[in-house]
Amino acid sequence: MPTHIEGDLVAGDHQFAIVVSRFNEFVTEQMVDGALNTLERHGVDPEAAVTVVHVPGAREIPVVAQRCARSGSYDAVLCIGAVIRGATDHFDYVCSGVSSGTLQASMDTDVPVIFGVITTDTIEQAIERAGTKAGNKGRDAAAAALEMANVMDQLPG
Ligand code: INI
């Protein structure tokens, strides 16, 4: 029988940082609420174990996520943002920057950096992913953070 390692969705004594962008805040606020609620429902005490860092836009998320991850103070970092295409080419640059930047932050620090950034063509699609028809991607990010914090605890090295 192989050894299986998987993470439970339990708080343990883990610490979490949430990095959230203000751009499209009517969406990102809902996602942070969802993330906090999910963490709490799995036993995390937000006052003792969650720090929320606000940044201007998704483009600014990676550097702050990296700083949080590198600090050694957090077991997982949740990145929450909403990039909406609208009528600008800016969209593609912001999307690729936040996606590769958060991945790099995770790889460079060995800390799970969870990608809870939604990228959509329209405002309607963003709203659907922030607590309406398509769930709440902030909740999904919180579940991934819990699971990954517990996976990392069990891995060698
Ligand atoms: N930032 C977002 O978080 N979402 C967007 O949809 C967005 N658009 O479309 O422009 C956006 N732009 C701002 C960017 O993230 C930076 O804050 C800005 O470029 C300053 O560095």
Side-chain angles (χ1 to χ4, degrees), residues 126-147:
I127 291 168
E128 280 179 12
R129 290 161 176 70
T132 58
K133 278 200 277 189
N136 184 323
K137 298 303 173 196
R139 285 190 186 283
D140 298 348
L146 284 161
E147 184 170 343

Side-chain angles (χ1 to χ4, degrees), residues 4-155:
H4 289 270
I5 293 176
E6 57 184 355
D8 293 330
L9 299 184
V10 295
D13 58 0
H14 296 125
Q15 290 283 324
F16 299 92
I18 298 177
V19 184
V20 55
S21 49
R22 281 202 195 85
F23 209 104
N24 297 320
E25 68 187 344
F26 64 99
V27 173
T28 60
E29 275 173 6
Q30 297 303 314
M31 294 167 71
V32 169
D33 285 352
L36 287 170
N37 183 263
T38 294
L39 290 173
E40 220 173 329
R41 287 164 59 111
H42 288 87
V44 176
D45 174 358
E47 260 186 54
V50 184
T51 301
V52 183
V53 186
H54 300 265
V55 298
R59 181 85 173 61
E60 284 71 45
I61 289 175
V63 67
V64 174
Q66 180 169 281
R67 176 73 72 91
C68 291
R70 188 169 281 155
S71 70
S73 299
Y74 306 105
D75 298 286
V77 180
L78 294 77
C79 300
I80 294 194
V83 193
I84 302 175
R85 184 180 291 276
T88 166
D89 285 349
H90 209 55
F91 174 87
D92 296 310
Y93 299 115
V94 175
C95 286
S96 68
V98 67
S99 168
S100 60
T102 51
L103 180 60
Q104 189 188 323
S106 195
M107 299 305 288
D108 287 354
T109 60
D110 226 18
V111 173
V113 176
I114 308 299
F115 192 64
V117 178
I118 56 174
T119 59
T120 66
D121 286 330
T122 66
I123 289 172
E124 288 71 22
Q125 288 168 347
I127 291 168
E128 280 179 12
R129 290 161 176 70
T132 58
K133 278 200 277 189
N136 184 323
K137 298 303 173 196
R139 285 190 186 283
D140 298 348
L146 284 161
E147 184 170 343
M148 283 303 296
N150 286 296
V151 166
M152 296 303 275
D153 278 354
Q154 298 173 63
L155 290 172

